[in-house]
Amino acid sequence: METLLESSETNKTVYPEDHIERLFIYSLCWSFGGLLELENRKIFDTTLRSLAQFPPPSTDDATCWEYFVTDKGQWSHWSVQIVPWQYPSDYDPKFAELLIPTLDSLRYQSILQMMLPNGRPVLFTGGPGVSKTATMLQYIQNLDPEMYNLKMTPFSFVTTPEIFQRTLESCVEKRQGKTFGPPGGKKTTFFIDDISMPVINSWGDQITNEIVRQAIGEVGMYSLDKPGEWRNIIDIGYCAAMVHPGGGRNDIPHRLKRQFVLLNVTMPSLFAIDNIFGSIIRGRLSASKVEASIAEVAAKLTDATIFLWQKVQAKMLPTPAKFHYMFNMRELSRVFAGIFEAPLKSIRDDVYLVRLWKHECERVFMDKLTNQPDKDWVGKAILNTIAECIGEQFSEQVTGKCYFVNFLQEPIFDEDGVCVDERPKLYEYVETLDLVRQKALSFQNQFNEETKAGKLELVLFEYALEHMMRISRLINMDRGSAMLVGVGGSGKQSLTRLAS
């Protein structure tokens, strides 16, 4: 409320009563109601409307959170602020580079714009995969680089107070006396991702976050190099993100929570999810770039992926033995990231695109499963989704196993016989496993010739080849990582060495 009234103080004007009430309602929603989930927001909205004299317009499924107050003191829907996103036409971007503005990201960035420049730290909390970090980075990266520096540090289970202090001190310099600040008279936005991750000791203390609290609350900390010397650290704007506590996830100390403006990042609506991934896939596979039949199928992939994701999410629930059965928005993202691996020239027809989509869904949803019945269920769900959302004729044409790899191409030589690219990468469909086996054996022989110790002597049967292809796919993806789980001696290390 104080930030919203700054313009009134600056211009020495007095807002009308209805304008002030609207500002108060807006502030109430994002303070008292900032931590509410979607279902609780509706209850809060109903009660608030019954008490307010000038509430926001009442429309279907629109709560007070969907509106903001204009400079003229009137309600306006956040959707009018969204700038339509266009897929880049002058280059082919990587999937990880694409950030699509949505109504949710716009609202949270507006709160960040009000809070961080005024020295008020902000903490995003929410479930996994709801774009907490992406929204925060989307705001931070758009700050004026001549005025702001950016420092991001992810916390982990082993982050210690010294690691945090050294990281913070690395982005400041001495200004005057015992006062330190960012170089060049700038300000620094210091983003802490996964702030709740540090270990909680035997006494229930999270000592790493105690020094974070000291840095924020007391605007400084004691020197590690000169014990007993206090250092004031100014012009640092703190922001952080964490998942909801519970289910084995840590909370943060209450004395640290009180330093932040707390906001709960809710799961985007299905319309927003369709807008995000639909805009990307329709932009990449538009009718101006590919055949009309391919563009027609591409337009259906978003709905099909969301439909499959909802089915898997409802059926494959986590249990103590299957605690990793978590299917959030990251799974949706990974499906489309896999489709992006295939260059446009390799997508020959609509059947090829459906086969590629099926393969990525199998890799994202099936490879996480631990037993064959679960995998069989997901395999049938994928085929049923193809029949329902894309077309029954495609379901029949893509039945059976399919594989895509990027290591089958032969080396490229120029006119003089000089090798230009020893291992060209083209993500393409595999007609037969025999070709993959021959290529893998040649890589194994090459590895053994170049390595004196730790030679590979692998028998590449079908399951070994499948695992090797899965590992190779993950290694070659942007931000690709994997945790291989299996009994000892099952080939996790050897297949990873071969896949790399």
Side-chain angles (χ1 to χ4, degrees), residues 111-128:
I111 300 298
L112 290 171
Q113 180 64 44
M114 283 195 294
M115 297 301 165
L116 286 181
N118 290 287
R120 294 180 174 86
V122 178
L123 171 63
F124 281 176
T125 182

Side-chain angles (χ1 to χ4, degrees), residues 120-420:
R120 294 180 174 86
V122 178
L123 171 63
F124 281 176
T125 182
V130 295
S131 301
K132 301 183 293 296
T133 302
T135 302
M136 194 75 78
L137 291 177
Q138 203 169 0
Y139 165 77
I140 294 172
Q141 291 171 353
N142 288 328
L143 293 174
D144 185 359
E146 295 184 359
M147 296 179 60
Y148 291 92
N149 294 328
L150 167 62
K151 187 67 176 180
M152 176 182 174
T153 178
F155 275 10
S156 68
F157 188 77
V158 295
T159 303
T160 62
E162 182 179 358
I163 292 175
F164 168 76
Q165 184 165 343
R166 295 296 187 190
T167 304
L168 181 58
E169 290 176 344
S170 69
C171 60
V172 297
E173 65 180 12
K174 189 172 184 177
R175 288 190 176 178
Q176 182 179 2
K178 297 180 181 178
T179 301
F180 292 75
K186 296 182 179 181
K187 295 184 178 180
T188 292
T189 301
F190 196 91
F191 175 42
I192 306 172
D193 200 11
D194 292 324
I195 193 173
S196 61
M197 285 290 288
V199 64
I200 297 176
N201 63 22
S202 303
W203 297 272
D205 299 321
Q206 201 173 33
I207 57 174
T208 302
N209 276 329
E210 289 300 333
I211 197 168
V212 177
R213 176 201 57 77
Q214 185 183 58
I216 298 174
E218 302 180 25
V219 199
M221 56 184 63
Y222 287 100
S223 172
L224 292 175
D225 302 319
K226 297 180 181 179
E229 179 183 292
W230 178 261
R231 291 183 174 180
N232 296 306
I233 300 179
I234 61 173
D235 290 341
I236 303 289
Y238 296 91
C239 51
M242 61 175 282
V243 294
H244 288 151
R249 303 184 183 96
N250 296 338
D251 199 355
I252 62 175
H254 294 301
R255 293 199 299 169
L256 176 59
K257 285 180 190 174
R258 74 182 184 188
Q259 306 292 338
F260 288 101
V261 176
L262 303 174
L263 295 173
N264 179 40
V265 181
T266 58
M267 174 66 72
S269 64
L270 293 179
F271 176 79
I273 296 173
D274 177 72
N275 178 56
I276 295 170
F277 298 110
S279 300
I280 294 175
I281 200 68
R282 288 190 292 267
R284 178 175 172 80
L285 300 173
S286 62
S288 61
K289 299 178 181 178
V290 296
E291 297 179 4
S293 59
I294 299 176
E296 183 180 353
V297 170
K300 301 176 182 178
L301 293 184
T302 309
D303 290 337
T305 310
I306 293 174
F307 180 74
L308 175 64
W309 171 61
Q310 289 178 313
K311 290 177 67 174
V312 175
Q313 198 177 36
K315 175 69 175 179
M316 299 297 166
L317 300 174
T319 65
K322 306 172 183 178
F323 62 90
H324 63 289
Y325 276 27
M326 302 291 291
F327 301 94
N328 51 50
M329 276 187 60
R330 290 195 180 101
E331 271 63 44
L332 288 175
S333 177
R334 288 167 183 151
V335 171
F336 291 103
I339 295 175
F340 257 62
E341 291 295 309
L344 293 178
K345 63 180 181 180
S346 69
I347 302 178
R348 300 187 294 269
D349 51 34
D350 49 1
V351 177
Y352 189 94
L353 178 59
V354 175
R355 187 176 285 117
L356 172 62
W357 179 84
K358 174 177 178 284
H359 173 263
E360 298 308 315
C361 289
E362 289 177 347
R363 300 288 70 76
V364 171
F365 295 107
M366 287 180 61
D367 288 353
K368 186 183 288 190
L369 308 179
T370 59
N371 57 60
Q372 195 59 42
D374 289 350
K375 293 182 179 182
D376 292 340
W377 186 91
V378 172
K380 292 179 182 177
I382 293 173
L383 292 177
N384 293 336
T385 301
I386 294 174
E388 292 181 36
C389 300
I390 303 177
E392 291 187 4
Q393 70 276 18
F394 295 107
S395 177
E396 298 173 358
Q397 291 175 292
V398 299
T399 302
K401 293 184 178 181
C402 63
Y403 306 102
F404 282 77
V405 297
N406 67 347
F407 51 79
L408 296 182
Q409 296 294 308
E410 297 297 330
I412 299 176
F413 296 90
D414 60 12
E415 297 177 354
D416 300 326
V418 178
C419 183
V420 178

